[in-house]
Amino acid sequence: GKAGGRVVRLEDTDHDGRYDKRHVIVSDLSYPTGILTWREGVIVTAAPDIFFISPDGTKKVLYTGFSTGNQQLRVNGLRWGMDGWVYCAAGAHHGGYNKGTQIECKLTGEKIDLGSRDFRFKPDTGEFDPQTGPSQFGRARDDWGHWFGVQNSFPLWHYVLRDHYLRRNPHVIPPDPIHQLFPRNPPVYPASSMEKRFHSFDQAGRFTSACGIEVYRDQVLFNDGKTHAFTCEPFHNVVQHHILEDDGVTFKAVRDPAESKMDFLASEDRWCRPVMVRTGPDGALWVADMYRYMIEHPQWLPQNGKDELLLHYREGDDKGRIWRVVKEQGVEGEGRRVTEWSKEWNSWLGATNGWLRDKAHMQLSWLNSMPAMNEALNSLEGPLSPQAMAQASWALLETKMLTSMDCMDLFDNPSAHVREQALQMAEWMKWNPGLEEIVLLKKVLAKLVNDKDAKVRLQLACTLGELKFEWAGDLLAEVLNSAEPGSPLQGAALSSVLPHLERVCARADSKSFAMLLRCALATKNEKAIAALVTRSDSQKGLEELLAVLDEKNLSLAAFAKQVTDAKAREAVEKMAARLQQAADSVQTAPTMESLALLASDREHRERVKALLPELWAKMGNAEVLRLVSKLQPQGGEQFLLEGWDQRTPALRVQILETLLSNDAWTLALLKRPEAKSADAATRARLMKHPKKNIASLAEKVFADSTSATRAAVVEKFKPALKLPGDAARGKTVFASVCISCHKLDGVGLELGPDLRSVAQHDAEKLLNSILDPSAIIEPGFMAYHCTLKSGEQLYGVIATETSASLTLKMAGNLTKSVLRSDVASLKSAGTSLMPEGLEAAMTPQSLADLIAYLKVGR
């Protein structure tokens, strides 16, 4: 319908704590989802635009191009960061959602590929910077610039690694930059009765609409030294309270144990829909209550739900409330001075309240005035809290008043959080090239290499990549050597290596050899390459070298010709001699180790290819299959399918997966009777194949085991609802049909959702979910076809996404991470990863047994 979103100014003219005057500024916005006071007006997110709106209602578009799809999944958030940027949530509910999004800055004309990431921007200059994401509705930070996100099923996560660091090095795949603080769909504790559900019955009493997060930033409600966070859950009419504790580079979180029976805010009113929490300037907790009969968007409802709720879609669109949560005795303290803002704002830079500090900081950044900054500093009384110390230092940096000695003093601050912030500030400092200052900087940073706080060490790893001094590479190598493989610390250090590659390669240990070699080869840094190979002449070093060279389409012999350093060439020649020994041995006594080694070298690959049919006939195991998949020998489909009847079920699955890695083999498979052995997941994958000739042939081959429509299948199996089910027999059905993708009672693989709390399932809904799985697809379980430039085909869900890489979770609980630069195409299958066609392995009675087992769950 007609756009009717408003920006309204509320006033409390008699200062009694309740607003009594209301003035509508604008009333024609399309679904505004976020607001931030800025200068004399406000910034508002209302896709496709982000506006600046003046007090007189004048609208100015700052950015445009944001997705206008589902109203629950739009750009939102708007939070000020201490670093002077405004942060926003992308509004997506899983990685890859709206992945083609491109944003245009109206101030500069620049166009930026955002994808499904979150972002930060500077409203006055138009600067725009993608950030790790996406968060769905709400993005919040603590007093120290640690950012947190949320998604319907995940009430809180921590952004451990930030995108603007990770994208500095596109040649390595980082670890997952997001750390979930709770498992999927943790429980909530409502005061209201359970609302009728039309799907996801197993999630009753659990988070399904998590949003509007906040990290409380004051001491009025809680003065226990702990970090308190809140997440709204409008479907269950609650706001849940979490306690955060430091846990290495990230956090751990628990629901506040003091609230065992009901959540922090739990309403008996089923129309109560809390959707956003904020720390107020008075230290109270302010909660936006959307107040609606229904909160779920009709897009996510099955047809029976749409029909039943049609009359209620807009009920409550004339309502809405703001709750102010205070202690019983009322709120005391500096927040009461909000009405004196115009007179006393400059004293609030040292406030305990984060909202007040932010507003004072913002005002100083807009004024950009040394006298105003001095006045604010002079108004501070007594010793500053660590929070105020950090924020005041950022304000000084923005006004160019933070000296190098001030910054170095912060590195010695007793608070680890202040030291962490000081490292971020150091990235923006203009360091005097004078010898004494730089020597002192090196000395203070060297102390932080072994800082007792893991977050300080992580930030040091990120910051060293921004410092251009030669010795920064030496410190970075120390950090890298201390990092565990696959850890966030290693990922942070690797994001920083490119400016210091030679020095890091000369000092790094073997744990990072392969990743550093990728960087050195990609940047053609001969000194870095030489530094690596002269220190890695072990068997493991040879294996890693060949694997990386193979990625670059280089043989060891070709690589040797490129090496100019004498010592490095000598080291490569030793490796070549070892490789030749392996080549000589395969004719008489081939081992899998020597074959795998030769398979990684382009000069010896054909010899291994020629041996594969014989090796398969003799050994027929998973190791040989890996070689076949890697080398793609001609006629592979012929010898792999020989002796099919004698292969075990597990090996059959692996053979089929190998054949599906090659389009020609896939077509050959579909023309043979062995294709009928494919399970439902493989059949669904083939019938949704991105290559039309494969999909068309698969539909013909499997026509006898699929129905024209899912509705026909559901109708055929409806008699199962009237049959008595046997849970013991159902457990056997689960083991044959579901166990490869789902986990229950500790058994199975977690490719799909864990089937817990299923006692509340409706039997008819279970039947529909099993037989028509793509009717409603849980966020994050959409299947994707990924074709690599090597020709390899991957099929699974996108588990992790960064600016440089993707991680796919595939059948068999396998995961594979790939660089974006190695991806030829990525296409959504448009279906759930859970396949259609499971009915081929069931009868109405066995389905009744399976439903009985799922409902009992033991």
Side-chain angles (χ1 to χ4, degrees):
K2 183 180 178 181
R6 305 183 186 98
V7 172
V8 177
R9 184 174 67 243
L10 306 178
E11 294 181 63
D12 175 14
T13 58
D14 57 7
H15 310 305
D16 67 348
R18 288 182 179 272
Y19 292 116
D20 50 58
K21 188 175 180 181
R22 180 175 184 270
H23 176 64
V24 177
I25 308 297
V26 295
S27 58
D28 61 349
L29 297 174
S30 178
Y31 295 101
T33 53
I35 188 166
L36 177 72
T37 54
W38 189 263
R39 295 186 178 271
E40 76 282 2
V42 292
I43 299 171
V44 173
T45 54
D49 303 313
I50 295 180
F51 294 102
F52 173 75
I53 301 177
S54 301
D56 63 1
T58 302
K59 297 195 295 287
K60 177 183 179 182
V61 177
L62 301 179
Y63 302 90
T64 192
F66 297 99
S67 170
T68 55
N70 185 284
Q71 289 82 358
Q72 296 181 20
L73 305 174
R74 298 188 177 200
V75 59
N76 66 87
L78 290 173
R79 294 288 189 107
W80 166 264
M82 283 194 296
D83 54 9
W85 294 79
V86 175
Y87 285 74
C88 255
H93 64 155
H94 61 78
Y97 187 88
N98 290 329
K99 59 186 176 66
T101 304
Q102 188 180 70
I103 306 306
E104 179 185 354
C105 173
K106 288 297 186 179
L107 296 178
T108 65
E110 182 185 9
K111 294 184 177 180
I112 307 102
D113 290 324
L114 178 63
S116 60
R117 290 172 288 173
D118 292 348
F119 60 95
R120 59 181 182 173
F121 65 98
K122 291 192 174 181
D124 294 339
T125 64
E127 292 171 81
F128 191 95
D129 185 47
Q131 289 288 293
T132 305
S135 186
Q136 184 172 347
F137 192 76
R139 202 180 204 271
R141 69 168 172 88
D142 62 10
D143 284 330
W144 309 111
H146 303 126
W147 287 92
F148 300 85
V150 65
Q151 185 264 341
N152 278 342
S153 299
F154 296 99
L156 198 66
W157 65 63
H158 172 219
Y159 290 110
V160 184
L161 296 170
R162 301 173 68 177
D163 195 80
H164 65 276
Y165 290 130
L166 296 181
R167 64 174 176 262
R168 296 178 302 186
N169 189 350
H171 311 302
V172 295
I173 299 170
D176 192 340
I178 291 173
H179 173 67
Q180 294 291 349
L181 297 175
F182 293 93
R184 177 184 289 272
N185 305 116
V188 294
Y189 299 84
S192 56
S193 58
M194 287 294 173
E195 190 169 335
K196 181 176 180 179
R197 304 186 72 90
F198 295 90
H199 59 80
S200 305
F201 298 89
D202 57 321
Q203 294 169 6
R206 295 178 176 274
F207 271 107
T208 59
S209 57
C211 62
I213 55 175
E214 170 70 334
V215 179
Y216 181 70
R217 298 178 59 210
D218 205 341
Q219 300 173 7
V220 175
L221 295 182
F222 310 97
N223 192 17
D224 52 9
K226 297 179 181 177
T227 301
H228 299 260
F230 296 87
T231 302
C232 296
E233 166 60 22
F235 186 83
H236 291 91
N237 326 110
V238 303
V239 175
Q240 191 167 101
H241 177 198
H242 310 128
I243 308 295
L244 300 184
E245 294 180 12
D246 281 308
D247 186 24
V249 298
T250 185
F251 298 87
K252 56 185 177 183
V254 295
R255 178 174 170 268
D256 186 356
E259 296 148 13
S260 57
K261 294 183 179 179
M262 285 190 295
D263 277 320
F264 178 83
L265 187 154
S267 176
E268 295 178 358
D269 185 351
R270 286 270 304 280
W271 286 50
C272 177
R273 306 294 188 182
V275 293
M276 187 64 73
V277 182
R278 287 290 190 272
T279 307
D282 56 358
L285 208 64
W286 294 60
V287 183
D289 176 3
M290 189 171 169
Y291 208 77
R292 293 291 190 279
Y293 177 88
M294 60 181 285
I295 194 69
E296 184 165 21
H297 192 287
Q299 176 178 327
W300 307 123
L301 290 170
Q303 191 58 48
N304 64 326
K306 293 177 182 178
D307 296 341
E308 184 171 326
L309 293 174
L310 180 61
L311 296 176
H312 306 289
Y313 279 5
R314 297 194 62 84
E315 282 191 37
D317 65 356
D318 58 344
K319 297 176 174 62
R321 316 183 272 201
I322 299 173
W323 294 100
R324 179 170 167 263
V325 182
V326 301
K327 286 187 174 180
E328 286 184 339
Q329 67 271 29
V331 174
E332 300 293 335
E334 59 203 356
R336 297 176 65 182
R337 297 180 355 211
V338 173
T339 54
E340 302 296 323
W341 167 261
S342 59
K343 298 178 183 177
E344 302 185 17
W345 67 265
N346 54 13
S347 68
W348 289 349
L349 195 58
T352 58
N353 180 280
W355 189 95
L356 295 176
R357 288 199 310 275
D358 285 352
K359 288 302 170 188
H361 185 178
M362 292 165 78
Q363 187 82 351
L364 288 167
S365 70
W366 298 330
L367 292 172
N368 195 21
S369 161
M370 189 175 294
M373 188 72 229
N374 284 328
E375 186 178 349
L377 294 175
N378 291 335
S379 69
L380 300 178
E381 299 176 357
L384 292 182
S385 67
Q387 291 92 330
M389 172 72 75
Q391 194 131 20
S393 299
W394 273 109
L396 284 166
L397 180 65
E398 285 187 67
T399 53
K400 298 180 175 57
M401 292 176 62
L402 187 73
T403 69
S404 55
M405 291 309 298
D406 291 336
C407 188
M408 284 190 275
D409 285 343
L410 295 176
F411 292 138
D412 282 327
N413 194 280
S415 168
H417 295 309
V418 173
R419 299 196 297 275
E420 184 184 359
Q421 287 296 304
L423 283 163
Q424 292 185 37
M425 294 178 217
E427 299 172 17
W428 299 98
M429 293 290 297
K430 290 186 178 180
W431 295 100
N432 190 323
L435 181 61
E436 184 176 343
E437 179 173 299
I438 301 306
V439 169
L440 184 57
L441 178 63
K442 178 183 178 182
K443 183 178 180 181
V444 295
L445 291 183
K447 286 174 60 178
L448 300 183
V449 170
N450 298 307
D451 195 281
K452 62 182 179 181
D453 188 272
K455 291 183 179 66
V456 173
R457 298 195 300 275
L458 182 75
Q459 185 58 53
L460 177 65
C462 294
T463 296
L464 287 170
E466 300 298 314
L467 302 178
K468 307 308 178 188
F469 309 112
E470 286 189 358
W471 49 261
D474 302 339
L475 298 184
L476 187 59
E478 287 187 53
V479 175
L480 187 59
N481 291 344
S482 69
E484 292 297 320
S487 67
L489 183 61
Q490 186 190 54
L494 288 169
S495 78
S496 289
V497 299
L498 292 186
H500 310 294
L501 195 55
E502 293 171 23
R503 294 179 80 93
V504 173
C505 289
R507 293 161 178 80
D509 61 24
S510 60
K511 295 196 299 288
S512 304
F513 173 80
M515 288 172 283
L516 290 174
L517 184 59
R518 286 190 188 96
C519 297
L521 289 170
T523 57
K524 300 180 180 179
N525 190 319
E526 294 186 7
K527 290 184 178 179
I529 294 169
L532 288 168
V533 298
T534 51
R535 297 187 304 110
S536 272
D537 60 353
S538 64
Q539 177 72 12
K540 185 173 183 293
L542 174 58
E543 293 170 1
E544 291 186 321
L545 174 64
L546 290 175
V548 176
L549 291 177
D550 190 33
E551 295 170 5
K552 301 296 180 183
N553 297 321
L554 282 173
S555 68
L556 186 61
F559 173 64
K561 293 177 182 177
Q562 297 180 8
V563 177
T564 57
D565 181 86
K567 287 186 177 179
R569 180 174 291 175
E570 183 181 348
V572 173
E573 287 172 352
K574 286 183 180 179
M575 293 182 184
R578 186 177 289 149
L579 185 63
Q580 189 57 50
Q581 288 177 353
D584 294 339
S585 70
V586 296
Q587 299 300 334
T588 54
T591 65
M592 290 309 303
E593 183 181 88
S594 60
L595 288 164
L597 204 60
L598 294 170
S600 294
D601 186 74
R602 293 183 169 267
E603 203 163 276
H604 295 86
R605 186 164 293 167
E606 292 304 317
R607 182 180 298 184
V608 180
K609 278 187 182 182
L611 293 172
L612 287 175
E614 182 183 347
L615 286 169
W616 178 248
K618 288 181 179 178
M619 303 171 71
N621 59 26
E623 289 180 306
V624 179
L625 273 177
R626 279 194 287 272
L627 287 177
V628 174
S629 180
K630 178 182 177 66
L631 300 181
Q632 306 274 301
Q634 192 170 0
E637 77 280 11
Q638 299 294 329
F639 67 78
L640 285 180
L641 290 172
E642 287 179 10
W644 179 259
D645 292 340
Q646 285 75 49
R647 304 302 180 193
T648 64
L651 192 58
R652 284 187 177 192
V653 171
Q654 293 173 332
I655 293 170
L656 290 177
E657 190 64 31
T658 302
L659 292 173
L660 266 57
S661 69
N662 179 300
D663 288 348
W665 293 354
T666 302
L667 282 168
L669 169 67
L670 287 169
K671 295 173 183 177
R672 293 180 54 130
E674 290 88 349
K676 298 284 189 179
S677 302
D679 61 15
T682 303
R683 294 178 182 215
R685 170 181 173 182
L686 287 167
M687 289 189 287
K688 294 291 184 180
H689 200 280
K691 298 288 178 65
K692 290 184 179 180
N693 59 333
I694 293 177
S696 177
L697 182 56
E699 286 176 3
K700 293 177 183 177
V701 171
F702 302 129
D704 60 337
S705 60
T706 59
S707 300
T709 66
R710 289 287 95 200
V713 175
V714 172
E715 194 62 34
K716 177 183 176 182
F717 276 80
K718 272 194 174 177
L721 298 174
K722 298 180 180 179
L723 297 174
D726 185 302
R729 292 198 305 262
K731 188 172 184 178
T732 303
V733 180
F734 176 85
S736 63
V737 176
C738 313
I739 202 169
S740 62
C741 293
H742 292 284
K743 196 171 188 177
L744 185 61
D745 300 336
V747 177
L749 300 177
E750 292 185 279
L751 181 59
D754 191 317
L755 300 179
R756 63 190 185 282
S757 302
V758 292
Q760 299 181 62
H761 272 62
D762 173 86
E764 185 171 358
K765 174 58 186 175
L766 270 173
L767 181 143
N768 279 277
S769 296
I770 293 167
L771 300 177
D772 192 7
S774 291
I776 299 172
I777 305 173
E778 291 293 329
F781 291 99
M782 179 74 75
Y784 281 82
H785 290 278
C786 179
T787 304
L788 301 183
K789 290 178 180 177
S790 65
E792 184 179 358
Q793 295 277 351
L794 306 175
Y795 182 77
V797 296
I798 297 176
T800 304
E801 181 177 9
T802 74
S803 56
S805 66
L806 299 169
T807 298
L808 277 82
K809 196 172 183 181
M810 302 176 292
N813 212 30
L814 301 174
T815 60
K816 180 157 185 173
S817 297
V818 296
L819 290 171
R820 286 182 183 272
S821 57
D822 291 336
V823 175
S825 69
L826 182 69
K827 295 181 181 178
S828 168
T831 58
S832 169
L833 193 64
M834 181 175 173
E836 297 175 356
L838 295 177
E839 69 276 1
M842 291 186 289
T843 64
Q845 181 59 61
S846 65
L847 179 56
D849 295 339
L850 175 60
I851 290 172
Y853 172 62
L854 294 177
K855 288 178 69 66
V856 175
R858 59 180 183 272

